[in-house]
Amino acid sequence: MLQSEHVTKPQLAFLRKLYLAHLIDDQQHNLLSLHKVTGMPRRTLQDAIAAFSDIGIEVEFVQDGVRNNAGHYRINTWGPVNSAWVGTHLSQIERLLHPQAVIPSA
């Protein structure tokens, strides 16, 4: 895995996509719930989710009501990404994305 002092901006963007895909695949999330869980700005979340296709992850927004934002995201396929690897390395990914946060171990 990467060392925090050697992580580049493109690597952080890649890890952010993996992290968000894991959260979406683990339970139903929309932008508001992802913001609450991650603390990431809404625009960062939108940009990362929109760029999932860059790494082969297919996501869709499932409409649950009449309002445009009533619903949740769903991962249709992880493409070439190994979702099990992301789950195994989740704590390391979280530490790299949030180095100042104290994240309790599982």
Side-chain angles (χ1 to χ4, degrees):
M1 190 69 189
L2 302 168
Q3 299 298 321
S4 59
E5 62 272 3
H6 301 330
V7 179
T8 65
K9 282 187 176 186
Q11 290 169 329
L12 281 175
F14 179 72
L15 292 172
R16 185 178 302 114
K17 291 172 196 168
L18 296 180
Y19 177 60
L20 291 173
H22 172 80
L23 293 175
I24 291 168
D25 205 31
D26 194 43
Q27 66 185 102
Q28 293 182 355
H29 280 287
N30 57 27
L31 283 177
L32 180 61
S33 65
L34 286 170
H35 171 70
K36 287 179 181 177
V37 169
T38 66
M40 293 179 196
R42 180 183 175 116
R43 187 65 195 175
T44 301
L45 293 167
Q46 289 172 319
D47 290 347
I49 292 168
F52 277 4
S53 62
D54 293 352
I55 60 173
I57 297 174
E58 292 180 19
V59 65
E60 71 175 315
F61 189 78
V62 179
Q63 196 73 31
D64 282 342
V66 292
R67 292 186 6 240
N68 285 341
N69 60 351
H72 62 275
Y73 291 101
R74 176 174 51 209
I75 301 293
N76 291 327
T77 180
W78 280 82
V81 177
N82 183 341
S83 62
W85 182 92
V86 176
T88 301
H89 294 86
L90 189 62
S91 63
Q92 292 170 302
I93 293 170
E94 289 173 329
R95 277 194 298 276
L96 290 170
L97 292 175
H98 310 288
Q100 70 283 1
V102 176
I103 300 170
S105 56

